[in-house]
Amino acid sequence: MLYICALFVAGLAFGSFLNVCISRIPRDLSIVSPRSFCPHCEAPIPWRDNIPLLSWLLLKGHCRQCGAAISRRYPAAELLTAVLFVACYASFGPTWLALKAGLFCFLAVGLIFMDAETGLLPHEFTYTGILLALAFASLASFDASGTAFVLRAFGLRDLSPGPELWLLDAVVAAAFGAGFFYLAWALYYLARKREGIGLGDIALIGMAGAFLGLKLTVLVLFLSPILATLFAFGWPFRYSAPRQDARVFEASDSVASSSFLSRAVPFGVFLGSSSLVVMFFGEKIWSWYLRLFG
Ligand SMILES: [Zn+2]
């Protein structure tokens, strides 16, 4: 129980740092200096008003100096990170796998909020994520049986679960996910002469692949368009992402169009969310699917 509380508090702190990243990285600002300030009146925020979750609640979501509303994204990102950290421990125990899962949660939550707010998936997160995933790959794996299956099917090698298979699985999954999206991007571009998914999405599925492995990545590729479509048709209000800032990162963001396929709905949000769902429930989804159709 003490462990859970400590993890929750750590999650809040990491979520707080994530908020700084979400606010600053897409705008190309430093995440170390200056210290936290109110984006409205630019007054520096003293430490007692900068405590994750609590300060927002005590201040009732308003700046102490100027009274401007503080985005609900701040407490939301903090709470979400804390809950996910606890969920990682509850699902995977005190293992390398839990650490890897927590790291993926941190990166995915950051990218989800950045894409929702600005339509950008910064390389600072996606490329770093790919490198970290590969560094962690040989320590633990969620399920590397996808790559083992492919190796056997092609009569290449019979690898038993272990660091060698896990690392290979991470590389294969990253390449497969990114390759799949790149192909989709190219086909859409050929057909419509504009970009359907952004290059940031390709980097994000590469990162998810490197973390989750081939078997779970296949699920993400199925689940994310379903989530995005449900959202596009089920959402009662017309979604318009606030994307006034820093839109130079990717060509796709300069395409102004209200159609769903040209990213009126930021696809990275659904890619990130379905990766998180799959990380926690992927095995259950697979066995459910195999019982239905297997
Ligand atoms: Zn203020």
Side-chain angles (χ1 to χ4, degrees):
M1 194 59 210
L2 192 68
Y3 240 72
I4 305 275
C5 292
L7 267 175
F8 189 81
V9 172
L12 288 179
F14 273 94
S16 180
F17 173 62
L18 208 46
N19 273 319
V20 177
C21 297
I22 297 165
S23 296
R24 296 186 184 183
I25 288 180
R27 293 165 182 82
D28 272 337
L29 302 172
S30 162
I31 52 170
V32 258
S33 70
R35 294 195 29 183
S36 297
F37 59 91
C38 167
H40 187 72
C41 67
E42 295 185 357
I45 298 170
W47 68 268
R48 64 186 174 126
D49 290 345
N50 210 2
I51 303 165
L53 201 60
L54 282 182
S55 292
W56 191 87
L57 291 172
L58 291 173
L59 292 166
K60 298 190 180 70
H62 291 278
C63 168
R64 188 189 290 278
Q65 303 298 324
C66 69
I70 306 166
S71 166
R72 262 172 294 184
R73 183 255 292 168
Y74 286 86
E78 285 156 2
L79 195 60
L80 187 59
T81 311
V83 168
L84 286 172
F85 273 21
V86 171
C88 288
Y89 177 72
S91 299
F92 307 112
T95 57
W96 282 114
L97 195 57
L99 186 66
K100 193 167 137 172
L103 185 60
F104 183 65
C105 289
F106 176 83
L107 294 165
V109 169
L111 286 163
I112 288 170
F113 280 102
M114 284 191 266
D115 200 20
E117 285 190 7
T118 64
L120 297 173
L121 295 164
H123 305 151
E124 284 89 337
F125 264 54
T126 51
Y127 289 3
T128 311
I130 293 172
L131 291 178
L132 285 171
L134 293 177
F136 271 81
S138 53
L139 289 172
S141 165
F142 294 102
D143 184 347
S145 63
T147 295
F149 176 81
V150 172
L151 285 176
R152 268 197 312 277
F154 285 97
L156 289 172
R157 274 182 81 183
D158 213 353
L159 274 180
S160 50
E164 200 185 347
L165 176 64
W166 297 341
L167 182 60
L168 182 66
D169 185 44
V171 174
V172 167
F176 177 75
F180 188 90
F181 265 37
Y182 186 76
L183 199 66
W185 174 84
L187 286 176
Y188 188 83
Y189 187 78
L190 282 176
R192 306 285 294 271
K193 295 286 174 237
R194 57 193 168 91
E195 294 173 50
I197 45 176
L199 295 176
D201 295 315
I202 299 178
L204 174 53
I205 186 69
M207 178 187 113
F211 269 102
L212 301 177
L214 186 59
K215 189 175 167 188
L216 297 181
T217 302
V218 171
L219 271 190
V220 175
L221 291 177
F222 273 102
L223 190 61
S224 49
I226 296 176
L227 277 188
T229 311
L230 285 178
F231 181 87
F233 290 108
W235 199 244
F237 312 102
R238 205 168 178 79
Y239 183 83
S240 55
R243 48 172 62 201
Q244 67 276 28
D245 305 283
R247 58 176 72 187
V248 285
F249 260 63
E250 287 155 10
S252 66
D253 291 303
S254 61
V255 180
S257 165
S258 59
S259 114
F260 159 60
L261 277 174
S262 61
R263 285 195 59 158
V265 179
F267 191 60
V269 173
F270 304 103
L271 207 46
S273 321
S274 38
S275 304
L276 288 175
V277 170
V278 164
M279 187 180 79
F280 286 109
F281 305 107
E283 295 298 328
K284 284 198 184 70
I285 299 174
W286 262 118
S287 58
W288 170 79
Y289 178 82
L290 292 176
R291 261 206 313 279
L292 273 184
F293 303 103

